[in-house]
Amino acid sequence: MIIDFHTHTFPARISADVLAKLSRLSHTKYFTNGSVPDLTASMEEASIDYSVNLPVMTSAEQVEKVNGALIADRDRLFEQGIITFGGMHPGYGDYKKELIRLKENGILGIKIHPAYQSTEIDDIRMMRIIDAASDLGLIVLTHAGIDIGIYDHNYTSVQQVLKIIDEVRPPKFVLAHMGGWGCWEDVERDLLGAPVWFDTAFAIGPITPDDAKSGAPYLNTNLTEDAFMRIVRKHGADQILFATDSPWESQKDYVARIEAMPLDKEEKEMIFSGNARKLLHI
């Protein structure tokens, strides 16, 4: 079994505009059109059994409407192999009530994205959301490290993450992009062994540029094979979740990248699905 713990889909009416904008900001190519049918076709090609869909709330006004739509579509999406999380924004007022609504409707976790929400992850509003979600048993998955499209400020540094771990102690805390994209020295020095999961999304192998922007910064930032293996071995393969960040990576290519790593059979099983099955109760 393979579970992709980090994917994105968008409503059909806005997907083209969203992908064009994000591609322009990040200077990177996208591999699906952002729709559910395109994601499921990608999953079939890559032999992926389940993908976790992560909504990113870029405004507080989106929270109730987007979460409501995902709740309504939860069962239909699951039939297609898509497990949808909810989302939260630090500017949303009644976050506890909304988190309870997600929990009561079978949503297993939430996504936060400090960079696209222009809020430090150790802002008290973020900390309260993480704490409340954790009290409900929800998984909290956050973007971690620099964002390739917003690279002038790091809203989720390793030191900020350590503050969350120390003060909030979230039991199901997932850091995207191997703990902190582009902050690999900090991750290796300070974060390995901490009680958090890392997902592999958009962190290993070559970044595929938009051809028109091939000279853009940060295109050579991903982990080398040696660095990836050091992190896995020191942090523990039992705390690593296979993830791609589709549509920003090819799921089929990303499966091949993990398969090519010098991991043993047990480590690959844990990374590809074993760890995710425990978190997702599959």
Side-chain angles (χ1 to χ4, degrees):
M1 177 181 287
I2 301 178
I3 299 173
D4 185 342
F5 215 87
H6 189 141
T7 69
H8 302 283
T9 61
F10 308 96
R13 69 183 186 282
I14 64 169
S15 61
D17 289 341
V18 169
L19 290 176
K21 178 181 178 179
L22 294 177
S23 181
R24 185 173 65 252
L25 289 171
S26 65
H27 311 294
T28 58
K29 177 182 177 181
Y30 49 89
F31 290 84
T32 76
N33 65 13
S35 70
V36 168
D38 233 29
L39 175 59
T40 56
S42 171
M43 290 166 59
E44 183 175 1
E45 181 185 28
S47 298
I48 289 172
D49 299 274
Y50 294 99
S51 287
V52 177
N53 175 54
L54 302 174
V56 176
M57 307 297 183
T58 56
S59 71
E61 291 72 29
Q62 292 178 322
V63 170
E64 288 183 34
K65 182 178 180 180
V66 173
N67 283 338
L70 293 171
I71 287 169
D73 282 348
R74 189 199 67 152
D75 291 343
R76 180 183 64 84
L77 290 170
F78 187 75
E79 290 173 358
Q80 299 175 75
I82 299 175
I83 300 167
T84 193
F85 278 17
M88 186 50 64
H89 190 282
Y92 183 78
D94 202 353
Y95 64 93
K96 290 185 179 180
K97 181 179 179 182
E98 184 68 4
L99 292 171
I100 291 170
R101 179 168 78 122
L102 291 171
K103 173 73 173 182
E104 290 179 343
N105 282 279
I107 302 297
L108 299 176
I110 61 166
K111 168 69 183 287
I112 55 175
H113 199 311
Y116 279 100
Q117 296 168 338
S118 300
T119 307
E120 310 289 338
I121 196 170
D122 60 352
D123 182 288
I124 187 61
R125 295 170 297 169
M126 285 290 201
M127 293 175 72
R128 286 170 176 162
I129 288 168
I130 295 168
D131 189 37
S134 297
D135 283 346
L136 291 168
L138 295 172
I139 301 163
V140 178
L141 190 151
T142 182
H143 174 89
I146 299 164
D147 187 279
I148 194 171
I150 308 176
Y151 45 79
D152 58 343
H153 182 75
N154 187 357
Y155 290 87
T156 314
S157 70
V158 167
Q159 291 306 311
Q160 289 172 312
V161 166
L162 289 170
K163 180 180 177 182
I164 300 292
I165 294 169
D166 182 58
E167 296 187 16
V168 182
R169 301 181 184 277
K172 299 178 182 178
F173 197 28
V174 179
L175 305 178
H177 317 299
M178 290 302 289
W181 193 82
C183 305
W184 309 125
E185 290 184 5
D186 293 344
V187 170
E188 288 203 57
R189 184 183 62 244
D190 297 325
L191 199 53
L192 302 189
V196 291
W197 282 262
F198 296 167
D199 83 26
T200 68
F202 204 87
I204 56 174
I207 297 171
T208 305
D210 175 345
D211 290 340
K213 311 286 194 323
S214 59
Y218 283 97
L219 290 178
N220 297 312
T221 301
N222 273 1
L223 288 166
T224 64
E225 178 181 304
D226 287 346
F228 175 78
M229 289 302 302
R230 284 198 309 271
I231 290 173
V232 171
R233 291 277 158 75
K234 292 178 181 178
H235 191 60
D238 60 337
Q239 296 294 106
I240 308 293
L241 301 161
F242 173 74
T244 66
D245 210 0
S246 175
W248 304 108
E249 292 281 7
S250 159
Q251 288 184 307
K252 182 178 180 180
D253 288 350
Y254 224 79
V255 169
R257 291 178 197 176
I258 296 295
E259 287 283 12
M261 291 290 176
L263 299 159
D264 64 34
K265 182 178 179 181
E266 182 180 4
E267 288 171 328
K268 286 182 181 179
E269 191 281 330
M270 287 189 287
I271 292 170
F272 272 129
S273 69
N275 301 329
R277 283 188 284 115
K278 292 177 183 177
L279 282 172
L280 299 169
H281 309 295
I282 294 176

